[in-house]
Each structure stands twice: as structure tokens, then as C-alpha cells.
Amino acid sequence: MPAIADRNSSSFKEIVAAIKSDKSGDIAGSNGCCIPQKRRLRSDAAAARESPVSTPMKLKSPRRRLNSSPNSPANGIKEDFSEKPVKKNWNPRDVEHMRAVKEALHVSTAPSTIVCREDEQKRVLEFCKACIEQEKAGSLYACGCPGTGKSLSMDKVKQQVIDWATKEDLQPLEVLALNCTSLANTSEIFSKILGKHQPRKKTMGSTSPLQHLQKLYSNNQARAGSKMMLIIADELDYLITKDRAVLHDLFMLTTFPFSRCILIGIANSIDLADRFLPRLQSLNCKPMVVTFRAYSKDQILSILQERLLVLPYIVFQQQALELCARKVAAASGDMRKALCVCRSAMEILEAELRESASNLSLASVEEFISQQTAPALEIFQSEENNTVRIDHMALALSKTFRSPIVDTIQSLPQHQQIILCSAVKFFRGGKKDSTVGELNKSYIDICKSAMIPPVGILEFSSMCRVLNDQGLFKLGQSRDDKSKRVTLKVDEADISFALQGVRFFRNCLQ
Amino acid sequence: MATETPKKQLQSPRKPKQSLNNLKVQSSPLSISLSPQTPQSLIPPQAPPRRSLRRTSLHFSSTPIEDSIEYEKSDPKTPRKAVEEIGKISGQSRKGQSHEERVKTPKTPKIPKRKRNGENRKTAKLGILGEGMVEAEVTFSSVTPEVLETKKRKRGEDKTVIPRAMATRSSKKKEKKRVYYKKVVYDEGEFDVGDDVYVKRREDASSDDEVPEMEECRVCFRAGRSVMIECDDCLGGFHLKCLKPPLKEVPEGDWVCGFCQAQKLGKYVEFPEPPEGKKRVRTLREKLLASDLWAARIESLWKEVDGSFWFRGRWYMIPEETACGRQPHNLRRELYRTNDCADIEMESIIRHCNVMSPKEYAKANDEGDDVFLCEYEYDIHWHSFKRIAEIDNDEADDEHADSDEDWNSSKEPDSGTDEDMEYEEESTRNAQARLSTAHLAANSRKGHFFGLQKIGTKKIPEHVRCHKQTVLERAKATLLLATLPKSLPCRNKEMEEIMAFVKGAICDDRCLGRCLYIHGVPGTGKTMSVLAVMRNLKSEVDAGSIRPYCFVEVNGLKLASPENIYRVIYEALTGHRVSWKKALQLLNERFSDGKKIGKEDDRPCILLIDELDLLVTRNQSVLYNILDWPTKPHSKLIVIGIANTMDLPEKLLPRISSRMGIQRLCFGPYNYQQLQEIISSRLKGIDAFEKQAVEFASRKVAAISGDARRALEICRRAADIADYRIKKQISTVNSSTGKDIVTMAEVDAAIQEMFQAPHVQVMKSCSKLSKIFLTAMVYELYKTGMGETTFEKLAMTISCLCTSNGEAFPGWDTILKVGCKLGECRIILCEPGDRHRLQKLQLNFPSDDVAFALKDTKDLPWLAKYL
């Protein structure tokens, strides 16, 4: 782990540096404890290689080694607590402090080291190195859920490959990193590749860039002059066209006898290569697949800690971070979401402090006599409030993951509630869906029974559209308003729970 | 006092320097009278005392003419002539002084030249001088002859203005109105629409006070009366005798001073220091070119309600202030006219200057020091230059005149909308208060505009309303969707949240990109809240508490295709129109790769996308790109998306919703209290609605949709109905006994109109036979319990109904025709009529609607039996 060494040698204050090395050791520990788990999960043999993380583990103090045993996460947390007083106090009222934390937690700030993805990075790097050394073409496909660090890792790998190539004194290689969404036209990718190969030459009108590339790669003469080329194509699935030609041609480029391009594709779907490139398999040049799993809770935790390491103060309570990690890992394992939640938790704290400050100033104005107690109170409060606590995090998480259906239903206008109610009644008989016209009849029945003047059919269908927008209904496509299919998208129980406060609806739903 | 004429290349040295020197003859007496007065005229004290001072001084002051004279073009004269004339002129001006203690503006050096022209024309004409006008005219005519006559000849339109202005003048005291003038005498200077003036840049800049009357020699630092020569490079003035070696006479062609020559050769030059105790004074021209002053062209002049004089100025810019900086081809005295206007108090005017087109500039020889060349108009948003051709100029003038008219009509509403006026005044006053704290001059309201913000629809011009508005009409006007309410109640929490979001994003230095998704049903104030927040932010930017940012607003509905959003964004950011593919590439460079081109690019950018859901394409790449940019390190992009759909992020691809972040804001439908508050806040001060009527309307809307637009529309329609009723009453009974207030009945009628679907109206108003037809159909369908029927069966039923209720059976053909008519209206769905007997018929609307519509038909009471 070169980055850790960097950190240690950095000219920080001594104490901070000490803490940092402590901390990074800690993270290495947590890495250590999560890697076995990964191995268990992974069917891939490549993961069985020795983890690079294990080296710092050997250097650890005995106490640390105790913590690094996989079964003692609780110990680790406790120990973080004991470290706390060493760090400077974080002051959320300080704009500068706040800004620093927000910056550290922002999606766009790339951390100096990417923890928890060493394995994948290493595989990709090895692959690239092998290709470059043997001067042969190859293709690799990285897949994984959104927010699992694919693009970030590939960025790092790209840098590492370039560094490695210069260090090894190999011929410098061309790198083309592009996001397929930014292409105006899918086949534009070939002209970009060609542009990298021959920056000066203008393509002739007669041959397309693809044909040009194919000629280039199947020609032995061209080989001598050209460099190796690393193509990183993010969001590869945007290249999927109806006939799949572009994607296919792109991967076929690597199969040409004198092809010199290393293709790395990144996308979400796991089986893109199998589904869309069956021919490659027959040619026996199926791309190597590297899967980025969704982060586990330990990984999220350690990434968050890693990011916060840059800061010389403690911002989050350990439990708060853990709660966040657990929740996010359970929901999606999306790192972006975890970062957003952390930020929103901080904002909740900020708002709370602002409120308490205004309250405090009010109070101090009112109780002018008890001036002595006021500062004491403030100090007490500031100590108490200086970290993002678990309750803030819980609030932020609930804001993110809570489904607002009940609130939404309760805040609906009455007639829309009646529609929901009639829909529940209507679908009780085991029916799955119906048309707007049918539903209108049932709605009018309810209205009549309650002596409420019903609204007209046009109004009714526009209300159905609103409910569709709110995610409560699903309206089908139809030219005619009346014959649109309606299905209820929320659970019946939710609606009856939300509406049980009103007697009319309660009676209606019974 | 040199002008850099294009001619200059040939004969520059023979230029006004001389006349300057000549002028110095009379400068000494003038400065005596000057010294006591200047502080008053130049340092702006509190406005009110000053104004009175000015007014009183007007009674005997004669100077106003001087400044305006500058406007006219004196014939190119050889400097020598000027020299000859000087004695005469200065004598004259002294005479003028002795007659009436005239206060000299710093302009003095120029007077003589003007007098040459005006000598034999002894008519004095004055602008609007206020109360003192008549007297002033009398006093003047004896002494100060000049110019105005020439002016009269040149700009005939002036003549017409005066009576009008005077007329308004008389009644001005009571009225709360702005009064517009074509010409104003202010601070002993006469200012016309179309004049160019120097404008103070800062309130506290003390250096503005001491304006040198004439330029000093760069070597001996004395003005003196000997001949000066101007360097064509640094514009510095030099006495001929102070030069090394001294020059005998002004040389032909370009002349560059020794300092500049040395500097050009790369030598280090030591400029002569001024003698002890004497500060080097800069002329206004120097200050302007060093961007310590501003120059502006007066577009319109008016007097505010509080009595202060204002003008709308169009800024000039020095080349250094443009985006591309000073270019080699820029002349030293070149200015750019901008398209940026601001309302400026007259206080901040220093005096006139003279900005000329190249043609005029070439002719101008001895216009003094304050002559500038302006050939191009500079677009401050897009940093583009446009040549101000002569024709364009005329057109522009016309345009300005037009826009002035518009301005007058919209900003001088009749007494009915006084309140609006007051409101506007209030806001300007606030702006002033803010400015004074920020130590900025009044003219720093640059870029402030009082435009019409849109909420839903466009505003109809108000010029029709020439009569006094009744309460109801005022109510209707305020309830219009296009009217911008004075306050936006019920969305404070959401607005605070948006404000916190935007501020949190743009206030720190890194300006981390973020994304906010706002959703809510239509008519709940989503767009309005965001725009209100942006307005507040804009005012904070103006006050200087927030750094400037760019704000781009895109409506998804207004895009021809989703991809076009790139083009629109790029155009809004840079002003260049490119194809969307190119724009995508450029935007990617800017946001993803962090490539910043202009200095403007470094600003944070707030992108508001209304109707975000319309940008969803098949592969959703547009949304992906837009939401991916904020996650890039140097994008400084903040995206605010607005849509109706609550679960749009969940419907999108996971990779997009992951990039969207978790910031959501929900605008729920209004409940009836909120609607009531919104309506009554709009109607504040207008007693046109019964309280219950408003409550009824808001309850009704809240029960169905909670859409504020609809509630406002209902109220407006109710006011319409009430208005109609009252007018009818007056015309028939001729006595206004009825209360002119909107009651429950009208609101109910409006609600009926709005919520009752059109098909009910159609059914109610259709022919007798059609009604029978429909009734029979309902009856038939009810009887059989089927969804559709055939024409044969229906005709049987109709004949049954007719015979049993004493109606004549019309015959099949007629019934068929009626059926087809109803089919055309889509009340029923029917097959083409040629199937005749076998034609299948279906009701397009629920039978209850038919029943409701036909229940109480007057002429066919028996229909109710069958429904």
C-alpha cells in the first residue's frame, strides 16, 4: 500500500501523522477482515492471490492485531472512541470546517487511495500489463451496480498503467478514456479511436473510420509504427444498437491478428458480454469479466473512514457511520448514496445548531440575569453537539429510504382519496386491473352513498393522472381516456392505514 | 484637450492643446468663483436639502447652457483662429459672471469655443427648470445667448416636449408618479436625453471631488497658458517649451512623447515626479480610461415620486473592461457602447462628455478633452461587438423612443394601480438602503431590472385601462395568473430549503456540484418558488454578499427534442449557437474535463430544468449526461430539476438515480387554508370578495386538486360574473343598488363553469329531439343492462317514449340524423350512418352525466321519469 507510506511520510504535525498511521492501520485491519468474506463469496480463482493489504498487518502492534481478527468489529469501534480526544475538536459552526468536511465527502473528490477495490484493480492492472508486455490485444469487461467505484478504479488503473509503462521504459501507450453517453452517435467511437491513432491524418470520405481501423489492425506493416492503445469505454451499454453492430465491431477490433488495442468496457449489467457478443465466444476471445460487487457494510464503513481521514478532526460518531453503512449496504450498496446520506446528516446537524443558537440568543436576551449560566450551557452544548450523532444519521437515512406513501396519501385532496378508496374496494374482488371508466362508476357509487357530488369524468381522469404521477396508480397507454388501464401500485393495507383516521373512509373500506 | 481624431495621424499636434492653453487665460478668475461652490455641487449630501438648494440657485444661475452646448458640433476650426478669439470670449464670459454669480462647473475650458458659435444667436431656451423656470428664462436671455437655438434646429422634437412636461409639472406635487423629461437642468448642467455623461463610480472616492479644470503639463505640472502638445500614445500633455529638446511649433503628423518612445524601446523610464505638496491631478478623461469613472448615455430622464431626479443610462465601456481586453487596434479614446442599462440618480453625474461616432470624431477638432470615439456596441452577455452604423443608430433611437413610451405607459399606471407603484418604489428604496451600506454609488444598480416575471401566462398590456378601475377590476387584475404577487405565502419552508440548498452549493469556494429534484402536482408553486429564490439571490449578488453565478433556465416542454437541451444550455452560457452535438462536446469539455475558457466560465452555474421528465429519452443519455456533470470535480454545476412525477428517479435507470443524489423536495397540494391565504394575500386592500366566497372557492379546489392556478381562475371568473351583473344592473335600473362585491352565488357559478365538464353543457343546450334521443338511449341501456345498443332498438324506444308522452314521432330519418350529429359531438359513439338500422350506438359519457344534464329540462319535464 504505497499510499499509506505516503501518508506517513507527509509533513503533517507529528501527532496527526501518528493518528493517521493508526487510522490507516485500522482500515487495513478492517480490510483484512472483509477480504476473507469476499473470498468466500467469490467463485473466481483470481481472488485467491495474496492480498496486498496483508503486509501492513504484519507490522501491527499486538493490540492492533487483536482488533484485526475478523470477529471483533465491536472492539474496533470502541477503540476509535478511545482515540477520539486526541483529534482536534470539530466545530460545525466554523464555516471552514464544515466546508472541508463537505468537500471530503463529495462525490467528485476522488480519494487518494481506493480502499476495498484493490483486488479488482489489481486484476485489471495485471491484465493490462500482460497485454502490453506481450503486445497483444485484449478485452476486459467490468460490471457492477452503480456507485461501486468502477469508473474511479479504472481511472486509477489507467494512471498506474501509464506510470508503469514509463517506469518500465516501454513504448508509451495511447490512452483513450471516454464515456459512451457523451457520443452523439454510437459509431463516433471509431472515429475517436482512429483520431488517437492518427492524430494528424484526416479520414478519407470513401472509407468509414471502422473500415480504416480494421484495415489498420489486419495489416502487418502498420504494426511497427503504432503504439499500444488502451481504450476505456464507460457506460458501454449505450453502444448497444438494434443490430448490435457497434458493440460487436468494437470487440471484434481486438480479435484482429495485428490489433494492438486493449479494450476495457464498463457497464452495469453482468451478462452484457454473453448476451450481446455470442460470436466472440466462438472466436475464443471472450472478454475477461471483472465484477464489482455492491459494497458490504464493512467496506462502506472503511471507505467513509478513509475519506474522513484527510480531516484532522472527528466529524462523525462511529456508530453513526456504522448505521449509515449498514443501511446503505442493505439497500443498494451504492457508495454515492452513502456519501449523500452523510452529507445530509451533517446538514441536519447544521440546521439543529442554527436553531439552538437562535434559541440560545433568545434565551440569553430573556434571562439577562442568569448570564453566568448561559456560557456554561453553551460550552456544554458545544461539546455535546460537535459530532454528527447517530440520531442525525437516523433522520437522514429515514429521509432517504422512507417511502412517503402514507404521508402522500394523507395529504391528497379528498376526491383523490375517494378515488383511492374506490379503487381498493374495486380491486378487492381479486381483479388486477380495470379501466378508468369502470373505476369512475365505482367512484360515483361511493360519492352517492356519502351524498358528495361527484366530479365529472374529465376531471376524474385528470385526477387519475395526478395519482399516476404520485406513484399511486399506474395508468396504461390508451388513446381514449376512458379505456386506460388502471392498476393500483401501492398496497391496499397502506391505503387503509393512511385513511383510517377518517371515519368515512374507514366505513367505506370495511 | 486633445482629440484623437482619425485625422490625427496627419495633423494631430495642431490640436486643442493650444486651445486649452488659450483657455487658461480665463481660468484664474473662474477658479475663484469656483472654489466655494464645488463642494456642494460635487459631493452628494442627503438628497432633500440639496435639491432645495439647487432649486433656489436656479433662479439666478445661468450656466445650464454650457453643458448642453457640447452636444453640438462646432465647425472644425483651426486652432489659430481659436487663439484669436480667446480674448473676446473670455471677456464675455467674465461679463456673464459679473452679471450673475454663476457657478462654474469644471467645464470651463470649453466655454469659449462654444461661444464662438452661439454668439449671434441670442435666444435662450431652457429645459424643464421647475418653478424657477420663468425667472430663469428672463435672466438668461439678457446674458447667456448661445446654443440652444442651434440645438433647436437640430433636434426639433425638443420643442414638443416642454409643454407636456410643464403641464405635468404643475400637478406633480400631489401625484405619486414618475415624471419623464426630455431635458433636465440639474446642478447647473443641462442634460438631454441622448447626452453622454461621466458617472461617479464610487460614492466615497474623494478624488472625484477635485476635478482639474485643465490638464497639467506632465513635466512641469503647471497648467500655464503656453501651448501644449498631446502624446498620441499616453495622451499626456506637454508644454512645447518643457520638452527636450523644446519644440518651436506643433509638428505635423503623429507625435509620441519621449517617455513613450523610451518605453517602447524597452528602457526603464522615470517619470518626472510632481513638486512637493502638489498632487498629480488626473482629468476625468484619465479617470475614465483608468476605469475609475463610468461614462453613460442618457436614455431617459425622470423625476421620482420622492422628488429626486433619475436617468436611465446606457453604459459605455473602455476596451480594458471587455472580455477580450484592449486590442492593438483600439484607439486610446475608444469606448464601447454596451447594451446594459441602469437607473441612476442624477447625483452621480459629474458632467458631460462627448462620445462620437467615427465620422463626427474625425471632424471634431477642438471639442475639449472629453471626447471619445465609439464605433461599436458591445454585448455584455455574449461579449460580441456590433458596429453602430448610422442607420442602426437612427433605428435604435426610434426604438428607444418606443420603449420609452412603453415604459411610460406601464410604469405610470393610472391611479388604480398606485399600490403597485408604491411597491416598486419601496423596492427601489430598499435597494438604495442596501447600497449605502455597501458603500457603492447609486449607479451600482447596474443590471437591476424590474421586469415581469412569468408564472403561467403572459401579461396583457395595460394601455387599455384609461378609466378609473373599479374594485372588481382591480381584483380581477391582481388575480390574473400573470400578475406577480407581492408576497408568496404558504411556501416559506420550501423556499427556505431551496435557498439553503443553492446557497450551500454556491457559497463555498470549491462549489461542489449538487442536484435537487423538486416534485409536486401542478399548480403548487414549484417553479414560482425556485424563481423567487433566484430573485432573492440575484439581489444578494447585486448587494455584493454573494459571488456572481450564472443561472440557466430550461423548460423541457419548450425543447424541440431532448437533445436540444445541450444547445440551449450552451447558448445561455456563452451566447454561441451551435448544433447540439457540438454543444454536447463543448459542455463535456467544460464540465467534465474542467476546461474553462473565459473568466465567466469559472462562475458556478445553476441549471433549472422545468419538466425534467420530458428529457427522458429511450436510453436516457440526456439525463445521464446532465446529472453526471455535477459529480465531476470541477463542474461547479448545480442542477435543479422540476417535474410532477414523484417517483421519477425510481423510474430512471439505477445509474442515473444514483447520480441524482437524494436531495428531494416535495410540494404537496395546497389545502383550503393555504389556498384561502394565497387568494386573500393577493386581494389585500381590495374589498371585492365576501370572505365566505373565497373560502368556498378554496375549499372546492382543495377537495379536488389543490391547484392554486385553478383557485385563482375561479375567483377571477367569479369577479367577471359579478362585474357583468353589476354593469347590467346599472344599465337597466340606472341605480347602483347592488353591492359591488363578489358573493357566494358568483363563485358557485364560476365553479359550475369550471368543474362542469363541457359535455354537460353541450347536452344541456342541444335540441329537444337530441334530448329525447339521449334519454331514450339511457333508458334503453338501463333496461337491457348492455353497454351498447343498435339504432333499430333505440328508434323503437324513442317512438314509445314519444307516443306515451304526447310528442310527435319525428320519423327514422330524422332520428338517424340526430344520432349522427350527436356522434359528431362525441356525446355518443356510433358507427357510420349508412349502416342505418344496424348502426351500433354507445354512450361516450356515463349515463349519470346525461341524467344530470337532462334532469331539469324545462320544455320536456317528462324526461326525468326515464333517467
Side-chain angles (χ1 to χ4, degrees), chain A residues 456-459, chain B residues 752-762 845 849:
Chain A
I457 175 80
L458 296 180
E459 204 58 45
Chain B
Q752 288 301 323
E753 262 178 40
M754 179 154 294
F755 287 116
Q756 218 170 57
H759 62 265
V760 179
Q761 316 273 356
V762 172
F845 294 99
D849 281 5

mmCIF file of all heavy atoms in Angstrom, chain A residues 456-459, chain B residues 752-762 845 849:
data_model
loop_
_atom_site.group_PDB
_atom_site.id
_atom_site.type_symbol
_atom_site.label_atom_id
_atom_site.label_comp_id
_atom_site.label_asym_id
_atom_site.label_seq_id
_atom_site.Cartn_x
_atom_site.Cartn_y
_atom_site.Cartn_z
ATOM 1 N N GLY A 456 -66.956 15.353 -12.637
ATOM 2 C CA GLY A 456 -67.190 14.821 -13.971
ATOM 3 C C GLY A 456 -66.092 13.880 -14.419
ATOM 4 O O GLY A 456 -65.033 13.785 -13.793
ATOM 5 N N ILE A 457 -66.350 13.237 -15.529
ATOM 6 C CA ILE A 457 -65.425 12.205 -16.000
ATOM 7 C C ILE A 457 -64.091 12.813 -16.434
ATOM 8 O O ILE A 457 -63.024 12.235 -16.204
ATOM 9 C CB ILE A 457 -66.073 11.394 -17.157
ATOM 10 C CG1 ILE A 457 -65.099 10.379 -17.763
ATOM 11 C CG2 ILE A 457 -66.560 12.296 -18.260
ATOM 12 C CD1 ILE A 457 -64.978 9.141 -16.961
ATOM 13 N N LEU A 458 -64.131 14.004 -17.004
ATOM 14 C CA LEU A 458 -62.873 14.610 -17.446
ATOM 15 C C LEU A 458 -61.996 14.945 -16.241
ATOM 16 O O LEU A 458 -60.801 14.669 -16.218
ATOM 17 C CB LEU A 458 -63.163 15.873 -18.251
ATOM 18 C CG LEU A 458 -63.918 15.663 -19.544
ATOM 19 C CD1 LEU A 458 -64.152 16.979 -20.238
ATOM 20 C CD2 LEU A 458 -63.138 14.731 -20.451
ATOM 21 N N GLU A 459 -62.673 15.529 -15.251
ATOM 22 C CA GLU A 459 -61.969 15.845 -14.020
ATOM 23 C C GLU A 459 -61.419 14.574 -13.388
ATOM 24 O O GLU A 459 -60.293 14.528 -12.901
ATOM 25 C CB GLU A 459 -62.965 16.522 -13.075
ATOM 26 C CG GLU A 459 -62.349 17.387 -12.034
ATOM 27 C CD GLU A 459 -61.507 18.486 -12.636
ATOM 28 O OE1 GLU A 459 -61.944 19.151 -13.605
ATOM 29 O OE2 GLU A 459 -60.398 18.652 -12.135
ATOM 30 N N GLN B 752 -69.212 26.025 -11.178
ATOM 31 C CA GLN B 752 -70.018 25.212 -12.089
ATOM 32 C C GLN B 752 -69.398 25.229 -13.477
ATOM 33 O O GLN B 752 -69.263 24.197 -14.126
ATOM 34 C CB GLN B 752 -71.452 25.754 -12.169
ATOM 35 C CG GLN B 752 -72.281 25.524 -10.932
ATOM 36 C CD GLN B 752 -72.391 24.049 -10.606
ATOM 37 O OE1 GLN B 752 -72.474 23.233 -11.500
ATOM 38 N NE2 GLN B 752 -72.379 23.721 -9.321
ATOM 39 N N GLU B 753 -69.011 26.422 -13.901
ATOM 40 C CA GLU B 753 -68.433 26.538 -15.224
ATOM 41 C C GLU B 753 -67.157 25.747 -15.348
ATOM 42 O O GLU B 753 -66.899 25.098 -16.356
ATOM 43 C CB GLU B 753 -68.102 28.006 -15.506
ATOM 44 C CG GLU B 753 -69.123 28.708 -16.309
ATOM 45 C CD GLU B 753 -68.738 30.150 -16.494
ATOM 46 O OE1 GLU B 753 -67.552 30.433 -16.711
ATOM 47 O OE2 GLU B 753 -69.632 31.007 -16.395
ATOM 48 N N MET B 754 -66.349 25.833 -14.266
ATOM 49 C CA MET B 754 -65.038 25.220 -14.388
ATOM 50 C C MET B 754 -65.098 23.708 -14.236
ATOM 51 O O MET B 754 -64.483 22.975 -14.999
ATOM 52 C CB MET B 754 -64.111 25.803 -13.338
ATOM 53 C CG MET B 754 -62.760 25.158 -13.430
ATOM 54 S SD MET B 754 -61.469 26.175 -12.830
ATOM 55 C CE MET B 754 -61.431 27.504 -13.936
ATOM 56 N N PHE B 755 -65.834 23.267 -13.245
ATOM 57 C CA PHE B 755 -65.799 21.831 -12.972
ATOM 58 C C PHE B 755 -66.816 21.059 -13.770
ATOM 59 O O PHE B 755 -66.732 19.856 -13.880
ATOM 60 C CB PHE B 755 -65.981 21.567 -11.482
ATOM 61 C CG PHE B 755 -64.768 21.943 -10.710
ATOM 62 C CD1 PHE B 755 -64.791 22.952 -9.780
ATOM 63 C CD2 PHE B 755 -63.577 21.282 -10.937
ATOM 64 C CE1 PHE B 755 -63.665 23.295 -9.088
ATOM 65 C CE2 PHE B 755 -62.434 21.624 -10.246
ATOM 66 C CZ PHE B 755 -62.484 22.640 -9.314
ATOM 67 N N GLN B 756 -67.815 21.774 -14.253
ATOM 68 C CA GLN B 756 -68.763 21.020 -15.030
ATOM 69 C C GLN B 756 -68.172 20.817 -16.405
ATOM 70 O O GLN B 756 -67.840 21.771 -17.098
ATOM 71 C CB GLN B 756 -70.057 21.787 -15.125
ATOM 72 C CG GLN B 756 -71.209 20.859 -15.058
ATOM 73 C CD GLN B 756 -72.450 21.665 -14.900
ATOM 74 O OE1 GLN B 756 -72.730 22.527 -15.724
ATOM 75 N NE2 GLN B 756 -73.205 21.414 -13.864
ATOM 76 N N ALA B 757 -68.073 19.589 -16.742
ATOM 77 C CA ALA B 757 -67.402 19.281 -17.988
ATOM 78 C C ALA B 757 -68.180 19.850 -19.154
ATOM 79 O O ALA B 757 -69.400 20.028 -19.079
ATOM 80 C CB ALA B 757 -67.283 17.780 -18.128
ATOM 81 N N PRO B 758 -67.520 20.140 -20.237
ATOM 82 C CA PRO B 758 -68.185 20.746 -21.392
ATOM 83 C C PRO B 758 -69.296 19.878 -21.961
ATOM 84 O O PRO B 758 -70.265 20.395 -22.500
ATOM 85 C CB PRO B 758 -67.050 20.918 -22.396
ATOM 86 C CG PRO B 758 -65.929 20.093 -21.890
ATOM 87 C CD PRO B 758 -66.086 20.021 -20.425
ATOM 88 N N HIS B 759 -69.154 18.565 -21.796
ATOM 89 C CA HIS B 759 -70.177 17.733 -22.430
ATOM 90 C C HIS B 759 -71.529 17.934 -21.768
ATOM 91 O O HIS B 759 -72.573 17.827 -22.410
ATOM 92 C CB HIS B 759 -69.773 16.261 -22.406
ATOM 93 C CG HIS B 759 -69.622 15.679 -21.038
ATOM 94 N ND1 HIS B 759 -68.412 15.607 -20.396
ATOM 95 C CD2 HIS B 759 -70.518 15.147 -20.191
ATOM 96 C CE1 HIS B 759 -68.579 15.050 -19.223
ATOM 97 N NE2 HIS B 759 -69.846 14.754 -19.067
ATOM 98 N N VAL B 760 -71.507 18.254 -20.484
ATOM 99 C CA VAL B 760 -72.789 18.513 -19.819
ATOM 100 C C VAL B 760 -73.435 19.761 -20.407
ATOM 101 O O VAL B 760 -74.642 19.793 -20.663
ATOM 102 C CB VAL B 760 -72.571 18.657 -18.303
ATOM 103 C CG1 VAL B 760 -73.887 18.939 -17.613
ATOM 104 C CG2 VAL B 760 -71.934 17.411 -17.744
ATOM 105 N N GLN B 761 -72.589 20.766 -20.634
ATOM 106 C CA GLN B 761 -73.125 21.978 -21.239
ATOM 107 C C GLN B 761 -73.733 21.676 -22.609
ATOM 108 O O GLN B 761 -74.799 22.171 -22.947
ATOM 109 C CB GLN B 761 -71.999 23.005 -21.428
ATOM 110 C CG GLN B 761 -71.076 23.148 -20.268
ATOM 111 C CD GLN B 761 -71.592 24.143 -19.256
ATOM 112 O OE1 GLN B 761 -72.612 24.776 -19.491
ATOM 113 N NE2 GLN B 761 -70.909 24.246 -18.130
ATOM 114 N N VAL B 762 -72.995 20.886 -23.368
ATOM 115 C CA VAL B 762 -73.485 20.565 -24.709
ATOM 116 C C VAL B 762 -74.827 19.854 -24.606
ATOM 117 O O VAL B 762 -75.779 20.185 -25.314
ATOM 118 C CB VAL B 762 -72.455 19.693 -25.457
ATOM 119 C CG1 VAL B 762 -73.028 19.188 -26.772
ATOM 120 C CG2 VAL B 762 -71.185 20.466 -25.701
ATOM 121 N N PHE B 845 -70.254 9.072 -22.487
ATOM 122 C CA PHE B 845 -70.115 9.562 -21.114
ATOM 123 C C PHE B 845 -71.002 8.733 -20.208
ATOM 124 O O PHE B 845 -71.959 8.104 -20.668
ATOM 125 C CB PHE B 845 -70.487 11.044 -21.034
ATOM 126 C CG PHE B 845 -69.530 11.918 -21.783
ATOM 127 C CD1 PHE B 845 -69.817 12.373 -23.050
ATOM 128 C CD2 PHE B 845 -68.311 12.246 -21.217
ATOM 129 C CE1 PHE B 845 -68.920 13.152 -23.749
ATOM 130 C CE2 PHE B 845 -67.407 13.023 -21.908
ATOM 131 C CZ PHE B 845 -67.720 13.483 -23.171
ATOM 132 N N ASP B 849 -74.102 11.391 -16.127
ATOM 133 C CA ASP B 849 -73.898 12.733 -16.654
ATOM 134 C C ASP B 849 -75.093 13.161 -17.489
ATOM 135 O O ASP B 849 -75.561 14.301 -17.398
ATOM 136 C CB ASP B 849 -72.633 12.778 -17.519
ATOM 137 C CG ASP B 849 -71.378 12.845 -16.676
ATOM 138 O OD1 ASP B 849 -71.528 12.754 -15.434
ATOM 139 O OD2 ASP B 849 -70.277 12.959 -17.234
#
